[in-house]
Amino acid sequence: MSEASCRIDVWLWRARFAKTRSLAAAMVERGAVRLTRNGVQTRLDKPGRSVHVGDGLVFALGGRLFDLEVLQMGERRGPLEEARALYALVESPPPTGG
């Protein structure tokens, strides 16, 4: 891994959650991305905010909610297989009760 952190808009673009950096930046600016670091969740509002390995991200995209952990920063916007290696989806626990 070459970097310890990365701008959130660049990371979302590299991980292929946005087709362009400007679309990724707009997503962040409208408050659609929540970051969890050290157990504290914050709503990101600036595309220049940093994301680190181990951070959690939650956002809705295309009618689907993504809850993921950042595994790598990546060095470029590569093919889909490379992009998928940048994160791991967090499985939600099954609902309880009844």
Side-chain angles (χ1 to χ4, degrees):
M1 186 176 57
S2 62
E3 303 173 41
S5 67
C6 179
R7 286 174 55 112
I8 185 63
D9 61 337
V10 172
W11 190 88
L12 288 167
W13 175 69
R14 287 178 181 169
R16 295 188 161 266
F17 287 109
K19 288 187 181 201
T20 65
R21 273 187 62 190
S22 59
L23 286 173
M27 191 169 126
V28 174
E29 287 170 346
R30 72 174 178 267
V33 180
R34 288 179 287 168
L35 170 82
T36 303
R37 183 180 296 147
N38 299 325
V40 178
Q41 189 175 84
T42 54
R43 188 176 299 273
L44 297 179
D45 57 355
K46 292 183 174 65
R49 296 285 172 105
S50 294
V51 65
H52 300 83
V53 171
D55 286 350
L57 295 175
V58 177
F59 54 91
L61 189 64
R64 187 170 164 211
L65 185 68
F66 288 88
D67 184 356
L68 55 90
E69 178 185 351
V70 176
L71 299 179
Q72 299 178 49
M73 294 298 103
E75 295 180 13
R76 64 184 185 135
R77 181 179 165 93
L80 189 58
E81 297 77 30
E82 195 174 304
R84 285 189 177 148
L86 302 183
Y87 62 91
L89 293 175
V90 176
E91 295 296 322
S92 300
T96 57

